[in-house]
Each structure stands twice: as structure tokens, then as C-alpha cells.
Amino acid sequence: GLSESPDLEFEYSDTDKWAAELSELYSYTEGPEFALNRKCFEEEFRAHVSDKKWTDLDASQHRAHAMRLLDGLEVIAREKRLKAARAILYMAQGSFADCSCEAEVQYWMRYNIFLLLDVGTFPALVELLNMEIDNSAACSSAVRKPAISLADSTDLRVLLNIMYLMVETIQQDDPADKPEWKIMKETFRAELGSPLFNNEPISVMLFGMVTKFCSGHAPHFPMKKVLLLLWKSILFTLGGFEQLQIIKVHKREELGLPPLPEDSIRVIRSMRAASPPASASDLIEQQQKRARREHKALIKQDNLDAFNEKDPYKADDSREDEDDNDDNDNSLEPETFPLERDEVMPPPIPHPPSERVSFPKGLPWAPKVREKDIENFLESSRSKFIGYTLGSDTDTVVGLPRPIHESIKTLKQHKYISIAELQMAKEEEYQKTPLSVGEEEVEMCATELLYQGILPSLPQYMIALLKILLAAAPTSKAKTDSINILADVLPEEMPTTVLQSMKLGVDVNRHKEIIVKAISAILLLLLKHFKLNHIYQFEYMAQHLVFANCIPLILKFFNQNIMSYITAKNSISVLDFPYCVVHELPELTAESLEAGDNTQFCWRNLFSCINLLRILNKLTKWKHSRTMMLVVFKSAPILKRALKVKQAMMQLYVLKLLKVQTKYLGRQWRKSNMKTMSAIYQKVRHRLNDDWAYGNDLDARPWDFQAEECALRASIERFNSRRYDKSHSNPDFLPVDNCLQSVLGQRVDLPEDFQMNYDLWLEREVFSKPISWEELLQ
């Protein structure tokens, strides 16, 4: 029945709908605080302004009150400061008490947030946040507590909430915005990405919070909010996937490269999902039907067990419906299985003719060829036909037969030169001939500023993010030594009724899912932006992710029942903001909690899965040592299970990961996974000359994996020290001042004892030494 189900109607983009992104900021345990924020605002408002509604005042009164609240953030008394911050948060939440519907709340949110931005709230919040980060008293009391709850992070949560609402709201494009708002938005984007706040971009400060939390010095930090703000700051300052495509096209133009063969985002959006490979139980059922129909002898029991060999890497819940002859090449030897394999395959599903017409002709992607592939092809052709080689000459075709000429012509037609290749060649030039190439001009874009900011501690940041990702993954068992990421979701009093604990259970699961979503998006955005900015920036980050065990971690994440993760219903829509502040809350019952919404999948979980698959692709692409890690960690059965999700984009990235390791999985695996193989042919880009589907000779070749990573590491270190390490620059290459006038004109401070005895020095060093004027003049 799986192959009949429709594709999931999922639109992959930078973020979910605005309302969904707003609601994910708050845990359900924070619900009572909405009323508290409102109370703080109204007390201040009634005392100073009037009994009118906020929505009835004019712009000057709005501005005056915003300034008054901002002044309240400057007071020394902590309680008063928190009160003012809560009142500002209520404004950022759209002064919801005066609104009757969600659209109105969103309108006033946008209005109030631009007002708050205009009066200078953001720098004040950053200052307060810095104060809270360095608040050693709060840190040490949190470290000593046996159980940390929501109350420990109150001040931090209020500040982060306002900052998140500001960043998230301002980055939304709204055609109805006033022209001055558009200018404010661009200024704010530039400020966030430049080192204005304590000489570092805002993202670097948030990364610092992440590492401090992971080191155990600040267990009360509300990590989910920090990560969400970090993700949205990176997205806003560097740009999302559409922006990346624009930058790529622009960069290729600048470097004089031919335009991209297609817009990958569009191609993927128009793809349809393939029906997932049939599972073992389906195959056996099919086979039993045939056996009965044709009166064949019953199959011996042990042959069925060949299908159902237990896979030690597999989660228990998915054992019944899996074929897992893929992690052991010899599990289907001919002697143990009398029936021919193709006899067991289910018959093809007949399509009505109308459907067949709608399929696109040809392949979805233009094929690509690397310069190296052409060189290898010519090299082997020359040694085969002529018996000599010409190195990297790709133009001389003398003496080669006609078909080879045509092959070369076709290869050259599809040759693709990436930006990375040019950047690496340029870097090699800088290393070889630093003087003749001259100074490198580095464009100070937001990506470059961020890289410079995180460069000194990048390894720690990557380890910290992966630690939190591990703690939030559904496959992780609750270990005592793992970090506690639930500090900002657990209430002060633990639940006493079944209903309360059900609600908290949903809240905790949702909390973990949101953390996974934020981290996967952060890592993917950084990898993509660094790769465009400079290939070695990307390689530096990627290598540290690999060293921190990112590859097995992502595989561990996928080693669960992925369908149930994608269809999980961990949300209570009546408690979501802004619905919960404009509607009367219905009486919650166990039934209404279990009912959930009727969507066919959970947007954030599908988004996280695709991001993690894309990260895995980025880390392993063209890296043989890392591809072998996929093989060693037995990723094929895990990835094959992920193909059950009927969503074209997710399937594409799974198939790419299967394609790179197919040649190492052995002939038996390929034979028994023909459906997956043909899906790869249909969906993944073809590399001409790539023998991914039949590389049998490769298994015997010895590989030195360490050498590959070490060579890469050496190149990265050379790049980083040349570009960013000014203290260790080679003294021979520093400019020398040899102009007579400037040397004589320099003021030199002489020590006191020299000044007292300088006549002795003159006598000894100048007068008593003979000077050969002839030599000097020459």
C-alpha cells in the first residue's frame, strides 16, 4: 500500500510560515507568562499614559511610551528592569489584549517592533544580555542546583524573546511596509552582521553562549531560544537558499565562468517522489501468493530467515517491515535461496496512460564533467592506443581513433568548472609566489566577517552544536552524563495529574524537535555560505564537523522509524502563540491532546531530516575517506529506510548518499537493490565517466585515509595563517623602509645611561674608526 500513497505536499524553504516560527519560540510551560507581560505593561501604561487602548493612541504617544520603557531598562534595581523588559516584550508580542484576531496581533507586532527598533531597543538588549551572560552569581547558583527549571532563566528568556521577535519580524518581507521601514531593515541587517556589538557580530556572541552552556558553566541558559536566535541572525545577515543561488550566479559571472546549467531549487521543486523499495514482508507475501498459485513446493523456513536476518543497527520498532539483506553482502547466497530474485519482486504497477504523458522527457539534471575526468579519460586512451602519455594536455588528440575524438568533444561540452576549483588554484598561487601575486583583496561581506569572528573557537562551536544535537535526537537514550537541554521547558512544580504530564510530554518532545530544526539549519547555512565565500573556509568547518563525529551522529539520528518521526504530532495548536492570546482557552482533556491536527506530516521534522541529509552530502562529496565512513558505519540499510518518505527532495539526497557508496557495497547488494539503483539513475545527476554502479575492482585498492585528511588539513592551515594570522607573517616578506630621509627623520628615544656617556660612544664607534669614503660612495 505504500507505493500507492500520494507524495507529501511539502514545500521546502528557509523557514516555516511566520506564525509557526513565532509559536515555536515559546514552550507551553511559558503560557502563564503572556498574562504576566501584559500586567507589567498595563501597570506602567495606566500610570503614565491614560486609560485608552494602545491601539487608539497616535504615533507620537506610542514613541514617547516606548522611550519611557527603554529608560526603564537602565535602572539598577533588577526587579524594575525585569518589569520594563516584560512590558517591552508585551509590545513586541503585538499588544494582544487590544486585538481581536491573529492577523491584528501580527499587524501590531510589526508596527511595535519597528517602533522599538527606531528608538534603539536592540543595542540596549544586547548590553543587558551580555550582563546576564557574565552574571557569575546566577551561573554558580545554577551549577549547584539539583534540578534547574524555567525560573532560573527568566531574565535571559525575556531578553532573548524580544530579540528573536525583532529579528524574525524585521526579516519578513511585507509589500505593505513603509519606505522608511525598508531602509531601517537594511540598516539593521548590516548592523547585525558587522562587529558593532562588543566588536563581534551578534552570531559570535550567541555561539559563545552555546559553548558556555555545553561546558557546564551555565546550565540555566535557555538553549532553544539561543539557537533559534542564532539561526535567524545567520539567516537574516547572510541570506537564505534563494539568496545563495543569486550570490552563486553573481560570483560565476565575476570569475568569467559559464552560467549554471539550471536552477537547482526549481528542478528539485518540480520533481516527483519515487515509490519506496518494497519491504521484506511485501516481498514474502507476493512470493507466497505465487507459490500457492503455481502449486510450487513450500519454501523452507530457513530461506525466509535469509530475508529477516536481524540487523544490530536497526531500531526495534522497524524490524517487522524491513528487508535488510543490504548490510551483509552474503546474506542471499544462491544456494540458500532457490527462487530467482526477480521472481520475488512485485509486478510493476500499471499506470493509466494519462499519467504517463505527464512525465518529463529526459533527465532532470544536465550531466557534469570535471577537468580531471577529461584528463583521466585521455590518459587511459593514449596509453591504450598509442602507448605514451602527455600529462595534463587535454587538446592533443593525434593518433586516437574517431570515437575517442567524439567522446572528448562530448565530455568538453559538459565540462563544469566550480568556483571552488578556481579558489583553490588561486590559493596555490598565493602560497607559491606571494610577492608577484601581491596582496589579496578580501571583500568584507557578512560571511567573511562572521568567519573571522568564529575562526578562533570554531572547533569548540562545532563540538558544542553536535553535543546538543545528540542530546535532542530521538534515538538518544537519557544518559546521566549528557547535557540537560530541558532546563528552559521544565516547570518549577513537576506535574501532578495525568493531563499535566501528557502536556509536558508533548512539550518536551516538541522542544527537542525545535532544537534539532535550529541546529540542522545553522550548520547547513554556514556550510553553504562558507563554501561560496571561500572553499577553505568551508573545508575548515566541514573537517571539524567530521572530527567531532558528525557523520555517525547523523546516521544515528536516521536509525529510527523515520516515518513516525516525520508524522509525529508533538504540538497542541490551541496553546500556540498567537492563537492562545486572542481566543478563550478551551478545557484541555486527554482526548483533545491526543487528537492533534490532521496534517499528514510535521513540517519542522521533515525540514530537519532534509537539512541533515544535505549536511551529510556536503561532508562526504568528493571525499573518499568520508565516503568509506558511510560504508563502515553500515549506512545503506539506514538510508534505504529513509526512502520510505514519499517526498522528492528528501529522496534525492538519500539517493545521492547511496550513489557515492554503491561501488563499495558489492555486487550482491546491487543485485538485490535494483529498484534503488534505477531510482538513482532517474533522479541523481549523471557524471559522465563515473562508474558508480559497477566499480568492482575498487574494493581491492589500498587507501591511505589519513593522508587524504592530513593533506587537506595542511592546505586549510596554510590558508588560515596566510589570511588571518598577522602575527606569524614571514619577516622576509615585510616591507623594508630604506629611504634615507625617513630613516634619519625618525625620532629615536635613547636610554639615560647612553645620554650621559655618549661622548665615549662617539669616540669609540665613530672617531677612532677609519672610514673608507671611496667604498661608501660606490
Side-chain angles (χ1 to χ4, degrees), residues 552-579:
L553 171 56
I554 295 179
L555 292 173
K556 180 183 166 78
F557 179 89
F558 278 99
N559 196 15
Q560 55 168 315
N561 187 335
I562 211 76
M563 273 311 280
S564 64
Y565 184 69
I566 277 170
T567 52
K569 299 270 189 289
N570 288 316
S571 56
I572 307 166
S573 46
V574 289
L575 296 179
D576 280 340
F577 178 87
Y579 183 94

Side-chain angles (χ1 to χ4, degrees), residues 253 446 703:
E253 262 175 36
W703 287 92

